Amino acid sequence: MEHEVFVPVPAEALRAVLTDPDRVARCVPGLQRDAAGAGAGEDLVGRLRLRVGGHTITYRGGLRIVERDGAITYEGEGTEARGKGAVEVSLTVVLTPAAEGTGLGFTGALTATGRLAEEPDEAREVARVRLLDAFVEAAAGLAADAAEAEAEETSGTGAGAGAGAETDADAGGAEIAGADGTGDDVGTSGADGTDRASGADGADLFGDEVFREAPAPVELPSPQPAAEAAHARRTMIGRSAEEVDHAPPRGRYAPVPAPEPSGAGATLRWVAPAAALALASAVIVGRALRRRR
């Protein structure tokens, strides 16, 4: 198993991430740590869901992080959560500092039985490359954030130290200027004991214009009566809330008016009396004709 990649991140920041179990766990895709924590001799314990080909295999196991001769070695083993297969892996990472970042070289070996061993070589190779690329990308992101935070902290500390030095220098200059009593910022009396606010003859140096009398308060108009205020409010913003509540609704919520009487109903009003009159006339005429016979 061999894999090489380059990331634009300082080597020291990247090494700090790759040797921290908490941050390593965040970088491994599909890893879920156990709440109980790691046992003796193990830095990480949990479950790893591995996507190989069209199948998902879940392993339970642990991982150890070991540093040897400047290299970082990950040693782990696990068993299938649903099956009898097992896997053992040993992965070594070598960091090579460069001018614009760090080169990472991965070498290692993996021994597997069960479902992973049954997958074709091409599917295992695709899963390996995808897993290592995602791991390196996540680790580089965490290292870049840590390096940026450290740089901001260093710049802030330097700026604070510089500001403190300038403040001390200004304070020292003020003390030196006021040592002989001639400085402008020390005291309010001159070397002869006279008050600087007054002249040699004790006259006031500040005229009346400096201490002017406060202007007279502005008189605000008296509040309007309730009736006038209500009228003005209706004039400005329309009808009052009470009028709106009692007013009939408008628009889509207005009541539907009752339908007007149609022409057929109006016609029946005079057709019925006329028919009755015609029937009565026919009865009278019929009786008269019978009498003549």
Side-chain angles (χ1 to χ4, degrees):
M1 186 193 316
E2 295 182 358
H3 191 75
E4 293 184 357
V5 66
F6 178 84
V7 293
V9 179
E12 295 301 325
L14 192 59
R15 180 180 295 275
V17 173
L18 296 179
T19 55
D20 183 10
D22 293 335
R23 286 188 280 185
V24 168
R26 295 169 57 186
C27 298
V28 179
L31 176 63
Q32 181 180 1
R33 301 183 66 179
D34 287 348
E42 295 178 335
D43 296 316
L44 288 175
V45 175
R47 292 188 175 195
L48 176 64
R49 297 185 62 186
L50 184 62
R51 183 73 175 178
V52 182
H55 306 86
T56 300
I57 308 174
T58 303
Y59 289 97
R60 277 182 173 181
L63 182 70
R64 295 178 298 276
I65 304 175
V66 183
E67 293 189 67
R68 297 192 185 100
D69 300 330
I72 305 171
T73 302
Y74 300 100
E75 299 176 352
E77 59 276 337
T79 58
E80 293 181 5
R82 297 181 179 179
K84 299 180 180 180
V87 63
E88 294 183 2
V89 62
S90 177
L91 183 65
T92 301
V93 186
V94 178
L95 305 182
T96 304
E100 298 180 356
T102 306
L104 289 86
F106 293 86
T107 57
L110 183 142
T111 304
T113 59
R115 298 175 58 187
L116 183 59
E118 297 173 358
E119 295 291 337
D121 295 340
E122 183 179 358
R124 290 199 300 264
E125 180 67 15
V126 171
R128 177 187 66 82
V129 173
R130 181 172 62 247
L131 180 63
L132 290 178
D133 287 343
F135 174 76
V136 171
E137 182 179 359
L142 293 178
D145 295 341
E148 184 178 356
E150 184 178 358
E152 292 180 356
E153 183 179 358
T154 303
S155 61
T157 304
E166 293 179 1
T167 304
D168 295 341
D170 295 342
E175 292 178 359
I176 294 174
D180 55 353
T182 58
D184 293 338
D185 296 335
V186 181
T188 57
S189 61
D192 54 355
T194 60
D195 190 357
R196 293 190 177 185
S198 59
D201 53 356
D204 190 0
L205 296 179
F206 302 104
D208 296 338
E209 296 181 356
V210 178
F211 303 99
R212 295 179 179 177
E213 295 182 357
V218 179
E219 296 183 359
L220 299 176
S222 58
Q224 298 179 349
E228 297 182 3
H231 175 72
R233 187 162 53 251
R234 284 195 297 269
T235 304
M236 290 186 292
I237 63 175
R239 297 179 299 171
S240 64
E242 184 178 358
E243 293 175 344
V244 172
D245 292 340
H246 294 285
R250 298 181 179 180
R252 59 184 297 183
Y253 300 104
V256 179
E260 297 181 358
S262 59
T267 304
L268 293 176
R269 293 181 180 179
W270 61 268
V271 168
L277 179 60
L279 182 60
S281 300
V283 171
I284 296 174
V285 171
R287 291 180 178 179
L289 292 177
R290 288 178 182 177
R291 290 176 181 177
R292 290 182 181 181
R293 290 178 183 177

